[in-house]
Amino acid sequence: MNKKKIIKIVAEIVLILLMGFILYRLFRDSYKDIGRQLANAKIQILLLLLLLGNLYYVIDSIMYYYLFRKEGYRISFFRCLAIGYMCIFFNVTTFGAGIKPAQVMYLRTKGVDMGKAISITTMPYVFHKTLIVIYAVVLLIINNSFVKNSFPSAIKYIYLGVGLSLVVIVGMILVGASEKFHNLLAKLTDRIFRKEKHRNVNAGIKNLMSNLRESTKDIVKDPKAWIIFSFTNFIKMSCWYVIPVIAIYATGGNPGGVTISQAITTTAIMQLIMGVIPTSGGVGSLEVVYALVFAAVFGKTAAGSSLILYRVVTYYAPFLISILILAPAGRDMRRGGKLDKHQ
Protein backbone atom coordinates (compact mmCIF):
# COMPACT_ATOMS: atom_id res chain seq x y z
CA MET A 1 0.00 0.00 0.00
CA ASN A 2 1.56 3.32 -1.05
CA LYS A 3 1.82 6.44 1.09
CA LYS A 4 -1.06 8.29 -0.62
CA LYS A 5 -3.49 5.43 0.02
CA ILE A 6 -2.47 5.25 3.68
CA ILE A 7 -3.01 9.01 4.08
CA LYS A 8 -6.41 8.75 2.41
CA ILE A 9 -7.52 5.86 4.65
CA VAL A 10 -6.33 7.65 7.79
CA ALA A 11 -8.14 10.83 6.72
CA GLU A 12 -11.35 8.86 6.12
CA ILE A 13 -11.11 7.19 9.53
CA VAL A 14 -10.51 10.53 11.28
CA LEU A 15 -13.47 12.09 9.47
CA ILE A 16 -15.75 9.14 10.35
CA LEU A 17 -14.69 9.39 14.01
CA LEU A 18 -15.41 13.12 13.94
CA MET A 19 -18.86 12.48 12.49
CA GLY A 20 -19.48 9.85 15.17
CA PHE A 21 -18.51 12.34 17.89
CA ILE A 22 -20.93 14.91 16.46
CA LEU A 23 -23.74 12.33 16.46
CA TYR A 24 -22.94 11.39 20.06
CA ARG A 25 -23.10 15.03 21.15
CA LEU A 26 -26.36 15.52 19.31
CA PHE A 27 -28.21 12.45 20.62
CA ARG A 28 -26.60 11.73 24.01
CA ASP A 29 -29.69 12.99 25.86
CA SER A 30 -32.25 11.36 23.55
CA TYR A 31 -31.13 7.75 23.04
CA LYS A 32 -33.70 6.29 25.49
CA ASP A 33 -36.59 8.06 23.75
CA ILE A 34 -35.21 6.95 20.37
CA GLY A 35 -35.11 3.34 21.58
CA ARG A 36 -38.72 3.50 22.77
CA GLN A 37 -39.90 4.90 19.44
CA LEU A 38 -38.07 2.21 17.47
CA ALA A 39 -39.60 -0.50 19.67
CA ASN A 40 -43.09 0.80 18.80
CA ALA A 41 -42.57 0.64 15.03
CA LYS A 42 -45.03 -1.67 13.24
CA ILE A 43 -43.64 -4.59 11.25
CA GLN A 44 -45.85 -3.77 8.22
CA ILE A 45 -44.33 -0.29 8.01
CA LEU A 46 -40.82 -1.69 8.37
CA LEU A 47 -41.45 -4.07 5.46
CA LEU A 48 -42.74 -1.15 3.37
CA LEU A 49 -39.57 0.81 4.17
CA LEU A 50 -37.40 -2.16 3.17
CA LEU A 51 -39.29 -2.41 -0.13
CA LEU A 52 -38.83 1.30 -0.87
CA GLY A 53 -35.14 1.14 0.05
CA ASN A 54 -34.50 -1.69 -2.41
CA LEU A 55 -36.71 -0.32 -5.20
CA TYR A 56 -34.03 2.34 -5.67
CA TYR A 57 -31.56 -0.30 -6.87
CA VAL A 58 -34.18 -2.30 -8.79
CA ILE A 59 -35.19 0.80 -10.76
CA ASP A 60 -31.52 1.51 -11.49
CA SER A 61 -31.34 -2.03 -12.87
CA ILE A 62 -34.34 -1.36 -15.12
CA MET A 63 -32.49 1.63 -16.59
CA TYR A 64 -29.42 -0.53 -17.25
CA TYR A 65 -31.66 -3.09 -18.92
CA TYR A 66 -33.17 -0.37 -21.15
CA LEU A 67 -29.70 0.85 -22.17
CA PHE A 68 -28.50 -2.65 -23.01
CA ARG A 69 -31.57 -3.29 -25.15
CA LYS A 70 -31.16 0.10 -26.82
CA GLU A 71 -27.57 -0.82 -27.71
CA GLY A 72 -28.75 -4.16 -29.14
CA TYR A 73 -27.47 -6.47 -26.40
CA ARG A 74 -29.42 -9.53 -25.27
CA ILE A 75 -29.10 -9.60 -21.50
CA SER A 76 -31.06 -11.11 -18.63
CA PHE A 77 -32.59 -8.78 -16.07
CA PHE A 78 -30.70 -10.61 -13.30
CA ARG A 79 -27.38 -9.47 -14.79
CA CYS A 80 -28.69 -5.90 -14.81
CA LEU A 81 -29.81 -6.38 -11.21
CA ALA A 82 -26.26 -7.43 -10.32
CA ILE A 83 -24.89 -4.27 -11.97
CA GLY A 84 -27.42 -2.18 -10.04
CA TYR A 85 -26.60 -3.75 -6.67
CA MET A 86 -22.87 -3.31 -7.29
CA CYS A 87 -23.53 0.34 -6.38
CA ILE A 88 -24.35 -0.46 -2.76
CA PHE A 89 -21.92 -3.39 -2.43
CA PHE A 90 -18.87 -1.42 -3.53
CA ASN A 91 -20.11 1.73 -1.82
CA VAL A 92 -19.81 -0.17 1.46
CA THR A 93 -16.68 -2.23 0.73
CA THR A 94 -14.63 0.45 -1.07
CA PHE A 95 -16.20 3.68 0.25
CA GLY A 96 -17.66 4.27 -3.21
CA ALA A 97 -14.34 4.25 -5.10
CA GLY A 98 -14.79 0.81 -6.68
CA ILE A 99 -18.33 1.13 -8.05
CA LYS A 100 -17.65 2.16 -11.65
CA PRO A 101 -14.47 0.07 -12.06
CA ALA A 102 -16.34 -3.03 -10.85
CA GLN A 103 -19.31 -2.41 -13.15
CA VAL A 104 -17.07 -1.79 -16.16
CA MET A 105 -14.94 -4.87 -15.36
CA TYR A 106 -18.05 -7.05 -15.16
CA LEU A 107 -19.31 -5.77 -18.52
CA ARG A 108 -15.88 -6.27 -20.09
CA THR A 109 -15.97 -9.96 -19.08
CA LYS A 110 -19.29 -10.18 -20.92
CA GLY A 111 -17.75 -8.83 -24.13
CA VAL A 112 -18.95 -5.21 -23.87
CA ASP A 113 -16.29 -2.81 -25.19
CA MET A 114 -14.86 -0.17 -22.86
CA GLY A 115 -16.73 2.77 -24.40
CA LYS A 116 -20.14 1.10 -24.19
CA ALA A 117 -19.42 -0.13 -20.65
CA ILE A 118 -18.59 3.41 -19.52
CA SER A 119 -21.68 4.79 -21.27
CA ILE A 120 -24.10 2.25 -19.82
CA THR A 121 -22.80 2.77 -16.28
CA THR A 122 -22.44 6.56 -16.52
CA MET A 123 -25.69 7.70 -18.15
CA PRO A 124 -27.95 6.67 -15.24
CA TYR A 125 -25.65 8.72 -12.97
CA VAL A 126 -26.07 11.81 -15.18
CA PHE A 127 -29.86 11.58 -15.00
CA HIS A 128 -29.68 10.73 -11.29
CA LYS A 129 -27.76 13.95 -10.53
CA THR A 130 -30.06 15.93 -12.82
CA LEU A 131 -33.18 14.75 -11.01
CA ILE A 132 -31.70 15.50 -7.58
CA VAL A 133 -31.28 19.14 -8.60
CA ILE A 134 -34.62 19.45 -10.44
CA TYR A 135 -36.47 17.73 -7.59
CA ALA A 136 -34.88 20.04 -5.02
CA VAL A 137 -35.32 23.26 -7.00
CA VAL A 138 -39.02 22.60 -7.62
CA LEU A 139 -39.62 21.79 -3.95
CA LEU A 140 -37.57 24.79 -2.80
CA ILE A 141 -39.76 27.05 -4.92
CA ILE A 142 -43.00 25.46 -3.67
CA ASN A 143 -41.93 25.49 -0.01
CA ASN A 144 -39.70 28.56 -0.02
CA SER A 145 -41.09 30.05 3.22
CA PHE A 146 -40.77 26.73 5.03
CA VAL A 147 -37.12 26.39 3.97
CA LYS A 148 -36.19 29.93 5.01
CA ASN A 149 -37.84 29.52 8.42
CA SER A 150 -36.44 26.03 9.09
CA PHE A 151 -32.89 26.40 7.72
CA PRO A 152 -31.90 30.09 7.90
CA SER A 153 -28.21 29.32 8.46
CA ALA A 154 -28.00 26.53 5.83
CA ILE A 155 -29.30 28.44 2.81
CA LYS A 156 -25.78 29.07 1.46
CA TYR A 157 -24.95 25.34 1.64
CA ILE A 158 -28.19 24.47 -0.12
CA TYR A 159 -27.35 26.83 -2.97
CA LEU A 160 -23.78 25.53 -3.02
CA GLY A 161 -25.13 21.99 -3.37
CA VAL A 162 -27.30 23.08 -6.30
CA GLY A 163 -24.37 24.85 -7.92
CA LEU A 164 -21.91 21.95 -7.62
CA SER A 165 -24.47 19.46 -8.90
CA LEU A 166 -25.21 21.69 -11.88
CA VAL A 167 -21.50 21.94 -12.72
CA VAL A 168 -21.18 18.14 -12.71
CA ILE A 169 -24.35 17.66 -14.76
CA VAL A 170 -23.60 20.32 -17.36
CA GLY A 171 -20.01 19.14 -17.73
CA MET A 172 -20.98 15.51 -18.32
CA ILE A 173 -23.73 16.46 -20.76
CA LEU A 174 -21.45 18.78 -22.72
CA VAL A 175 -18.76 16.10 -23.01
CA GLY A 176 -21.25 13.96 -24.91
CA ALA A 177 -23.21 16.69 -26.72
CA SER A 178 -20.56 19.25 -27.72
CA GLU A 179 -17.45 18.44 -29.74
CA LYS A 180 -16.11 21.96 -29.05
CA PHE A 181 -16.41 21.46 -25.29
CA HIS A 182 -14.77 18.06 -25.60
CA ASN A 183 -11.83 19.57 -27.52
CA LEU A 184 -11.57 22.41 -24.98
CA LEU A 185 -11.27 19.90 -22.13
CA ALA A 186 -8.63 17.97 -24.08
CA LYS A 187 -6.56 21.16 -24.44
CA LEU A 188 -7.04 21.91 -20.75
CA THR A 189 -5.72 18.48 -19.73
CA ASP A 190 -2.72 19.02 -22.03
CA ARG A 191 -1.91 22.21 -20.11
CA ILE A 192 -2.47 20.72 -16.66
CA PHE A 193 -0.56 17.48 -17.33
CA ARG A 194 2.11 18.90 -19.64
CA LYS A 195 5.06 17.40 -17.75
CA GLU A 196 6.62 14.22 -19.09
CA LYS A 197 5.89 12.24 -15.91
CA HIS A 198 2.16 12.98 -16.30
CA ARG A 199 1.96 11.80 -19.91
CA ASN A 200 0.22 8.52 -19.06
CA VAL A 201 -2.28 10.27 -16.78
CA ASN A 202 -3.11 12.78 -19.52
CA ALA A 203 -3.53 10.03 -22.10
CA GLY A 204 -5.79 8.06 -19.77
CA ILE A 205 -8.07 11.05 -19.06
CA LYS A 206 -8.33 11.95 -22.76
CA ASN A 207 -9.07 8.35 -23.67
CA LEU A 208 -11.81 8.21 -21.01
CA MET A 209 -13.37 11.44 -22.34
CA SER A 210 -13.26 10.13 -25.90
CA ASN A 211 -14.93 6.86 -24.90
CA LEU A 212 -17.53 8.75 -22.92
CA ARG A 213 -18.29 11.10 -25.80
CA GLU A 214 -18.52 8.41 -28.49
CA SER A 215 -20.76 6.21 -26.37
CA THR A 216 -23.07 8.86 -24.89
CA LYS A 217 -23.53 11.47 -27.61
CA ASP A 218 -26.51 9.67 -29.16
CA ILE A 219 -28.27 9.20 -25.80
CA VAL A 220 -27.61 12.77 -24.63
CA LYS A 221 -29.17 14.14 -27.83
CA ASP A 222 -32.18 11.79 -27.72
CA PRO A 223 -35.33 13.54 -26.34
CA LYS A 224 -37.08 10.18 -25.82
CA ALA A 225 -34.20 8.96 -23.64
CA TRP A 226 -34.37 12.15 -21.55
CA ILE A 227 -38.11 11.69 -20.97
CA ILE A 228 -37.79 8.00 -20.07
CA PHE A 229 -34.79 8.45 -17.79
CA SER A 230 -36.15 11.59 -16.11
CA PHE A 231 -39.47 9.92 -15.30
CA THR A 232 -37.76 6.73 -14.13
CA ASN A 233 -35.38 8.65 -11.89
CA PHE A 234 -38.26 10.68 -10.49
CA ILE A 235 -39.90 7.43 -9.33
CA LYS A 236 -36.56 6.12 -8.03
CA MET A 237 -35.77 9.22 -5.98
CA SER A 238 -39.34 9.41 -4.68
CA CYS A 239 -38.92 5.93 -3.20
CA TRP A 240 -36.09 7.20 -1.02
CA TYR A 241 -37.47 10.70 -0.39
CA VAL A 242 -40.63 9.40 1.30
CA ILE A 243 -38.75 7.00 3.59
CA PRO A 244 -37.91 9.57 6.32
CA VAL A 245 -41.47 10.85 6.70
CA ILE A 246 -42.84 7.27 6.78
CA ALA A 247 -40.16 6.36 9.34
CA ILE A 248 -41.15 9.32 11.53
CA TYR A 249 -44.81 8.28 11.46
CA ALA A 250 -43.84 4.62 12.01
CA THR A 251 -41.96 5.42 15.22
CA GLY A 252 -44.73 7.65 16.58
CA GLY A 253 -42.88 10.89 15.95
CA ASN A 254 -44.79 14.15 16.01
CA PRO A 255 -44.86 15.81 12.55
CA GLY A 256 -45.68 19.12 14.24
CA GLY A 257 -47.84 20.42 11.41
CA VAL A 258 -45.21 19.68 8.76
CA THR A 259 -46.83 18.58 5.49
CA ILE A 260 -45.67 15.61 3.42
CA SER A 261 -44.42 18.03 0.75
CA GLN A 262 -42.35 19.91 3.35
CA ALA A 263 -41.00 16.63 4.75
CA ILE A 264 -39.90 15.51 1.29
CA THR A 265 -38.34 18.95 0.78
CA THR A 266 -36.29 18.30 3.92
CA THR A 267 -34.98 15.05 2.39
CA ALA A 268 -34.17 16.86 -0.86
CA ILE A 269 -32.19 19.48 1.07
CA MET A 270 -30.26 16.72 2.84
CA GLN A 271 -29.28 15.23 -0.54
CA LEU A 272 -28.09 18.62 -1.80
CA ILE A 273 -25.96 19.33 1.26
CA MET A 274 -24.46 15.85 0.97
CA GLY A 275 -23.06 16.93 -2.41
CA VAL A 276 -20.71 19.49 -0.80
CA ILE A 277 -19.24 17.23 1.94
CA PRO A 278 -16.09 15.42 0.75
CA THR A 279 -16.49 11.92 2.21
CA SER A 280 -16.21 8.72 0.19
CA GLY A 281 -19.54 6.92 -0.09
CA GLY A 282 -21.22 9.33 2.31
CA VAL A 283 -20.01 7.33 5.31
CA GLY A 284 -20.56 9.33 8.50
CA SER A 285 -21.49 12.54 6.71
CA LEU A 286 -24.96 11.33 5.74
CA GLU A 287 -25.80 10.52 9.35
CA VAL A 288 -24.66 13.94 10.55
CA VAL A 289 -26.43 15.88 7.79
CA TYR A 290 -29.61 13.84 8.23
CA ALA A 291 -29.58 14.33 12.00
CA LEU A 292 -29.02 18.08 11.81
CA VAL A 293 -31.54 18.72 9.02
CA PHE A 294 -34.37 16.58 10.39
CA ALA A 295 -33.77 17.63 14.01
CA ALA A 296 -34.32 21.24 12.93
CA VAL A 297 -37.78 20.29 11.61
CA PHE A 298 -39.02 17.33 13.68
CA GLY A 299 -36.90 17.43 16.85
CA LYS A 300 -33.96 15.29 17.96
CA THR A 301 -35.88 12.17 19.01
CA ALA A 302 -37.82 11.84 15.75
CA ALA A 303 -34.67 12.62 13.77
CA GLY A 304 -32.65 9.98 15.63
CA SER A 305 -35.16 7.14 15.35
CA SER A 306 -35.98 7.84 11.69
CA LEU A 307 -32.24 8.11 10.90
CA ILE A 308 -31.68 4.56 12.17
CA LEU A 309 -34.53 3.21 10.04
CA TYR A 310 -33.44 5.24 7.02
CA ARG A 311 -29.88 3.97 7.18
CA VAL A 312 -30.96 0.36 7.72
CA VAL A 313 -33.39 0.24 4.78
CA THR A 314 -31.27 2.25 2.31
CA TYR A 315 -27.78 1.03 3.22
CA TYR A 316 -27.39 -2.04 5.43
CA ALA A 317 -30.31 -4.15 4.21
CA PRO A 318 -29.58 -3.51 0.49
CA PHE A 319 -25.92 -4.37 1.18
CA LEU A 320 -26.91 -7.77 2.60
CA ILE A 321 -29.15 -8.37 -0.42
CA SER A 322 -26.30 -7.33 -2.75
CA ILE A 323 -24.14 -10.11 -1.30
CA LEU A 324 -26.79 -12.69 -2.26
CA ILE A 325 -27.09 -11.22 -5.77
CA LEU A 326 -23.37 -10.74 -6.47
CA ALA A 327 -22.37 -14.24 -5.40
CA PRO A 328 -23.86 -15.83 -8.56
CA ALA A 329 -22.72 -12.77 -10.55
CA GLY A 330 -19.14 -13.60 -9.50
CA ARG A 331 -19.57 -17.16 -10.77
CA ASP A 332 -20.97 -15.68 -13.99
CA MET A 333 -17.77 -13.65 -14.42
CA ARG A 334 -15.56 -16.70 -13.90
CA ARG A 335 -17.52 -18.75 -16.43
CA GLY A 336 -16.96 -16.12 -19.10
CA GLY A 337 -19.27 -15.99 -22.09
CA LYS A 338 -20.20 -12.94 -24.14
CA LEU A 339 -23.48 -11.09 -24.46
CA ASP A 340 -25.24 -11.64 -27.78
CA LYS A 341 -26.19 -8.69 -29.95
CA HIS A 342 -29.16 -8.20 -32.26
CA GLN A 343 -28.19 -8.21 -35.90
Side-chain angles (χ1 to χ4, degrees):
M1 189 178 293
N2 59 42
K3 187 176 180 180
K4 288 184 178 179
K5 287 185 178 180
I6 294 174
I7 293 173
K8 182 180 178 181
I9 291 173
V10 171
E12 290 285 350
I13 292 172
V14 170
L15 193 54
I16 290 171
L17 291 175
L18 176 62
M19 297 295 181
F21 177 73
I22 293 172
L23 287 172
Y24 165 75
R25 296 285 296 180
L26 183 63
F27 292 120
R28 61 179 176 173
D29 299 325
S30 307
Y31 71 92
K32 290 183 179 179
D33 293 330
I34 291 171
R36 279 194 292 268
Q37 286 195 350
L38 288 171
N40 293 329
K42 294 181 178 180
I43 187 64
Q44 299 94 319
I45 303 298
L46 295 179
L47 291 174
L48 173 62
L49 292 175
L50 284 170
L51 174 64
L52 291 171
N54 282 279
L55 274 176
Y56 180 96
Y57 300 102
V58 173
I59 292 172
D60 254 355
S61 304
I62 293 172
M63 288 190 284
Y64 291 131
Y65 186 76
Y66 169 82
L67 284 171
F68 275 111
R69 303 296 290 185
K70 183 179 176 65
E71 295 295 334
Y73 289 98
R74 293 187 178 94
I75 186 171
S76 68
F77 181 71
F78 180 81
R79 281 174 169 161
C80 294
L81 199 64
I83 296 168
Y85 270 90
M86 283 180 188
C87 293
I88 180 63
F89 181 83
F90 289 100
N91 189 34
V92 175
T93 57
T94 68
F95 294 105
I99 295 174
K100 293 305 173 191
Q103 289 176 325
V104 171
M105 183 185 300
Y106 178 67
L107 293 177
R108 293 287 291 129
T109 64
K110 298 291 104 184
V112 181
D113 67 75
M114 182 68 75
K116 291 299 180 185
I118 293 172
S119 169
I120 290 170
T121 57
T122 301
M123 289 312 300
Y125 176 78
V126 174
F127 288 95
H128 167 83
K129 296 294 288 186
T130 302
L131 255 293
I132 286 178
V133 175
I134 293 175
Y135 214 127
V137 169
V138 170
L139 289 174
L140 286 171
I141 293 172
I142 294 174
N143 297 298
N144 187 52
S145 298
F146 164 77
V147 174
K148 286 184 176 180
N149 293 332
S150 301
F151 312 104
S153 60
I155 292 295
K156 59 183 178 181
Y157 297 106
I158 294 171
Y159 290 141
L160 181 59
V162 172
L164 289 177
S165 296
L166 283 174
V167 169
V168 173
I169 292 164
V170 172
M172 295 185 75
I173 291 173
L174 286 176
V175 167
S178 172
E179 186 175 355
K180 290 183 179 180
F181 183 77
H182 176 269
N183 293 335
L184 178 64
L185 282 183
K187 291 180 180 178
L188 184 61
T189 60
D190 286 338
R191 291 179 64 88
I192 295 174
F193 301 104
R194 60 180 179 271
K195 293 184 178 180
E196 182 68 23
K197 64 179 180 179
H198 295 146
R199 177 183 294 180
N200 291 336
V201 175
N202 186 29
I205 293 174
K206 290 171 73 173
N207 184 56
L208 179 62
M209 288 193 303
S210 296
N211 285 333
L212 185 61
R213 169 169 169 71
E214 288 303 315
S215 55
T216 62
K217 60 183 180 182
D218 294 333
I219 300 174
V220 167
K221 296 179 180 180
D222 183 0
K224 181 181 177 182
W226 275 94
I227 294 172
I228 292 173
F229 274 80
S230 297
F231 179 72
T232 307
N233 271 282
F234 172 77
I235 297 174
K236 183 185 81 169
M237 297 308 300
S238 295
C239 288
W240 268 19
Y241 279 19
V242 299
I243 287 175
V245 65
I246 295 175
I248 289 170
Y249 279 104
T251 55
N254 182 10
V258 177
T259 67
I260 293 177
S261 175
Q262 290 169 343
I264 295 175
T265 301
T266 306
T267 312
I269 289 171
M270 176 194 72
Q271 288 288 348
L272 281 176
I273 296 176
M274 279 296 301
V276 301
I277 299 180
T279 55
S280 298
V283 178
S285 59
L286 184 143
E287 287 82 358
V288 171
V289 173
Y290 185 108
L292 293 174
V293 170
F294 279 87
V297 178
F298 297 100
K300 288 196 294 184
T301 302
S305 55
S306 65
L307 166 59
I308 293 172
L309 289 181
Y310 181 85
R311 207 56 166 147
V312 167
V313 302
T314 63
Y315 191 78
Y316 297 108
F319 172 68
L320 294 176
I321 293 173
S322 74
I323 295 173
L324 300 176
I325 292 174
L326 293 183
R331 292 194 294 270
D332 184 34
M333 288 181 67
R334 291 191 293 272
R335 281 197 302 265
K338 311 301 182 183
L339 296 178
D340 294 329
K341 290 199 69 172
H342 297 292
Q343 297 299 320

